[in-house]
Amino acid sequence: MHILIIGAGIAGLGAAWALVRDGHRVTVLERGPIPNPRGASVDTHRLIRRAYGGEEGYMRLITHAYAAWDRMWADLGVKLCVDTGALSTSARTDDWVAISLQALKTGGFPVDELDAKRLAERFPLVEPRGIEVAFFSPEGGVLLADRIVAALARWLAATGAQLRPGAQVADIDADAGAVTLADGERLTGDLVLVAAGAWVAMLAPGLAAKVEPSRQVLAYVDLPGDLARAWAVHPSLLCVERAEGFYLVPPVVAPDGTRTRLKIGDHLFSRTGDPEADPRVAGAEETQAVFEQARGRLRHLERYRLAEGKVCYYTVDRRPGHETFQSLPLGRSTWAMSNCSGHGFKFGACLGEAFADMVAGRRSPGAFTRYAAGAVV
């Protein structure tokens, strides 16, 4: 088949990778450059972790994700994930962290529960005072997002896929499997996949009632030498108390020897913003507010230097309290995927494979939609 994919983020490129491996001809259309710095997938890093609160389907889907990433690393010739493990803490005993701990135990996944004394001894960068629940999961790490997107684009080009940066889509004929570009060019295929990130609802009205863009501010931090060395061997940190909290991505060394920055992000969704009109400039006050969430949870925060803020756009489930990925047919020859909600990158490879399974008839359309929604036993 000839499959047109709109969007060169991890959803689009992950599907393109799996489809090319299945022998299909793929054309990827991207409104900006590839990688596109305005896309949610093109940041220095993204986390992969097992803990998922009460979303036990996504917790189990991590097993599929790791297996799919391993297949991708074999094709790319390099592993673009740094294993760190994942540390989760909370000052409560009835929130996301506590629920995650119980789910991991029930599911039989490896987890080390930590009291305040053991937390302080094992992870001295974290302030143990006030912590009621803490656990370390060895299954977790840092996905080098921008490098993954760039490597996938190179692999796809080398294997015969057509990549078309600067191809802005103006219209989709969902039944005919045709796409019209802003310059009037019309492209036809056997199937169209819309995986346009924060722009997906603009191109797929069927998704507009289900997902919305969410402007997120990220705080990047510089560290003095001793703290940089200490964080280099530290797991990622997720500090969530009920709906609030922050996540921390530790600095890691990439395969080329360069070191990433420490990053702090907000666990809450803003549910505001326009991905098209936003100049993507993070203000000093909003960046400081994200950074300040770590105060009282990290020791010696006065030695951390807030370096810069960046703006990223998620596409999130419109239902408060839900973070389900949405995948649905738009017509006889078109599908839309929105695997984001702030945690979709980690599943880019396995959801791409699942989509290819559906195209090949190895998985029914309904089964694919349920799978993307986390219905994994």
Side-chain angles (χ1 to χ4, degrees):
M1 296 176 66
H2 179 206
I3 300 170
L4 304 175
I5 297 178
I6 303 171
I10 192 58
L13 294 185
W17 163 73
L19 291 164
V20 166
R21 292 176 101 237
D22 261 6
H24 299 291
R25 185 161 61 96
V26 173
T27 299
V28 180
L29 308 172
E30 169 57 49
R31 62 188 291 118
I34 301 176
N36 187 346
R38 292 173 66 85
S41 297
V42 186
D43 189 17
T44 308
H45 31 42
R46 290 285 184 267
L47 292 176
I48 184 168
R49 53 177 167 77
R50 176 72 72 174
Y52 251 94
E55 298 278 1
E56 296 184 16
Y58 287 125
M59 176 186 72
R60 290 187 288 270
L61 192 59
I62 290 294
T63 301
H64 301 202
Y66 269 119
W69 285 121
D70 284 342
R71 287 186 283 274
M72 185 179 286
W73 307 147
D75 283 347
L76 299 181
V78 61
K79 180 180 178 180
L80 295 171
C81 179
V82 180
D83 299 318
T84 64
L87 176 64
S88 300
T89 71
S90 177
R92 306 186 64 91
T93 60
D94 59 352
D95 65 357
W96 188 97
V97 173
I99 294 169
S100 295
L101 176 59
Q102 186 56 51
L104 290 169
K105 288 180 175 179
T106 302
F109 297 107
V111 62
D112 186 5
E113 189 171 0
L114 305 165
D115 58 20
K117 182 174 182 294
R118 290 190 63 222
L119 177 64
E121 291 172 348
R122 189 167 175 186
F123 302 110
L125 296 174
V126 178
E127 175 55 65
R129 286 180 296 181
I131 296 298
E132 293 292 335
V133 179
F135 66 85
F136 170 73
S137 169
E139 297 175 297
V142 177
L143 291 159
L144 299 169
D146 54 358
R147 291 171 172 85
I148 291 170
V149 171
L152 267 177
R154 290 192 296 271
W155 183 88
L156 286 165
T159 52
Q162 185 177 14
L163 303 180
R164 295 200 48 183
Q168 186 164 341
V169 174
D171 186 61
I172 300 170
D173 187 330
D175 288 328
V179 171
T180 301
L181 302 183
D183 63 4
E185 182 182 0
R186 180 178 169 87
L187 305 172
T188 59
D190 299 298
L191 184 67
V192 175
L193 171 62
V194 184
W199 293 271
V200 69
M202 301 177 190
L203 298 173
L207 269 182
K210 297 177 179 293
V211 299
E212 61 185 339
S214 183
R215 182 180 187 273
Q216 305 296 133
V217 175
L218 309 169
Y220 285 81
V221 178
D222 286 337
L223 301 168
D226 59 330
L227 285 177
R229 289 188 292 273
W231 273 112
V233 293
H234 198 282
S236 64
L237 174 62
L238 192 62
C239 183
V240 181
E241 297 166 16
R242 287 201 181 273
E244 299 181 358
F246 69 93
Y247 65 88
L248 183 151
V249 184
V252 296
V253 177
D256 62 4
T258 60
R259 186 181 298 279
T260 66
R261 275 176 167 166
L262 184 146
K263 180 174 76 175
I264 297 174
D266 198 336
H267 185 69
L268 288 176
F269 300 145
S270 75
R271 299 183 179 275
T272 63
D274 180 346
E276 184 65 17
D278 193 333
R280 306 297 179 89
V281 176
E285 289 186 6
E286 58 183 352
T287 305
Q288 187 71 37
V290 172
F291 176 74
E292 286 297 324
Q293 292 185 93
R295 196 166 299 281
R297 289 291 171 254
L298 301 182
R299 288 176 166 175
H300 312 299
L301 193 65
E302 69 280 358
R303 300 185 61 210
Y304 293 56
R305 188 177 71 82
L306 180 56
E308 66 173 323
K310 293 185 179 181
V311 173
C312 172
Y313 267 85
Y314 297 160
T315 306
V316 304
D317 193 318
R318 283 189 179 274
R319 301 169 298 168
H322 293 265
E323 298 181 9
T324 303
F325 305 153
Q326 303 291 333
S327 301
L328 73 163
L330 301 178
R332 289 193 299 270
S333 301
T334 301
W335 271 77
M337 289 175 58
S338 181
N339 56 309
C340 184
S341 283
H343 65 103
F345 195 101
K346 64 177 71 66
F347 297 116
C350 70
L351 287 180
E353 290 185 333
F355 182 77
D357 285 345
M358 183 189 70
V359 171
R362 296 186 294 264
R363 189 188 301 265
S364 72
F368 169 66
T369 296
R370 292 190 295 273
Y371 182 84
V376 180
V377 178

